[in-house]
């Protein structure tokens, strides 16, 4: 295995694990009773399904689109959590970190998902900067344009 691919593999596995954990928590809450809550139950099922699907795909490959999808799933879950505890979401409100311990575990999984995506993107930027050739002022021009054309 290429040594440079080991950090990417680790990030891919962590990202898949955090998404799967979030999906599992939402699926369990759906089964335990959220399925009977109008609209909210469907959203929990949708979040769990999307999280499991993206986590499974991340085990195969990790293009930028999947990393964006992982971040979007986590952001959506966090937004729903915050909304349900402030102004309410489709008439549904909760308080604090209830249901316990699922609410806290879900928050942790989703924050770890976002941190992993951010770390991955930062490592991609660093890798890109290291592999990009250094250019000075004169090398910005195409090599064939650096010479002057003969006068006619």
């Amino acid at each position: 295995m290429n040594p440079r691919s080991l950090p990417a593999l680790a990030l891919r596995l962590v990202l898949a694990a955090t998404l799967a954990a979030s999906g599992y928590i939402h699926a369990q809450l759906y089964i335990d009773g959220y399925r009977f809550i109008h609209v909210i139950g469907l959203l929990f099922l949708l979040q769990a399904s999307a999280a499991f699907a993206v986590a499974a795909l991340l085990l195969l490959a990790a293009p930028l689109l999947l990393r964006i999808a992982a971040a979007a799933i986590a952001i959506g879950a966090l937004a729903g959590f915050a909304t349900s505890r402030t102004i309410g979401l489709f008439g549904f409100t909760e308080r604090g970190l209830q249901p316990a311990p699922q609410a806290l575990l879900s928050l942790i999984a989703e924050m770890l998902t976002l941190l992993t995506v951010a770390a991955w993107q930062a490592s991609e930027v660093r890798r890109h900067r290291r592999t990009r050739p250094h250019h000075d002022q004169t090398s910005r021009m195409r090599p064939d344009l650096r010479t002057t054309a003969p006068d006619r």
Side-chain angles (χ1 to χ4, degrees):
M1 176 175 265
N2 183 346
R4 281 194 288 172
S5 65
L6 189 58
L9 176 63
L11 287 169
R12 199 167 87 198
L13 293 175
V14 168
L15 188 55
T18 59
L19 268 180
S22 175
Y24 175 80
I25 292 164
H26 282 82
Q28 190 62 46
L29 288 170
Y30 174 82
I31 290 167
D32 288 346
Y34 278 57
R35 66 180 172 215
F36 300 113
I37 303 170
H38 181 68
V39 181
I40 300 299
L42 182 59
L43 292 174
F44 268 67
L45 184 60
L46 180 63
Q47 193 280 346
S49 301
F52 284 139
V54 173
L57 290 172
L58 281 166
L59 294 176
L60 302 174
L64 179 60
L65 182 61
L66 283 180
R67 296 191 306 262
I68 291 170
I73 290 166
I75 289 168
L78 290 168
F81 183 89
T83 304
S84 72
R85 280 149 179 83
T86 55
I87 61 173
L89 186 62
F90 300 106
F92 177 75
T93 58
E94 291 183 300
R95 296 187 188 269
L97 292 176
Q98 296 301 319
Q102 294 92 337
L104 179 61
L105 294 174
S106 179
L107 284 174
I108 291 169
E110 287 135 15
M111 292 304 293
L112 286 174
T113 296
L114 291 176
L115 288 172
T116 304
V117 169
W120 196 331
Q121 289 308 113
S123 73
E124 288 289 316
V125 167
R126 282 192 304 272
R127 185 181 61 79
H128 178 71
R129 285 184 181 159
R130 279 194 310 264
T131 59
R132 187 177 58 190
H134 179 70
H135 296 290
D136 62 6
Q137 285 291 78
T138 58
S139 65
R140 288 184 188 194
M141 293 176 27
R142 286 189 4 217
D144 58 315
L145 295 178
R146 279 192 227 149
T147 58
T148 57
D151 291 357
R152 292 186 177 187

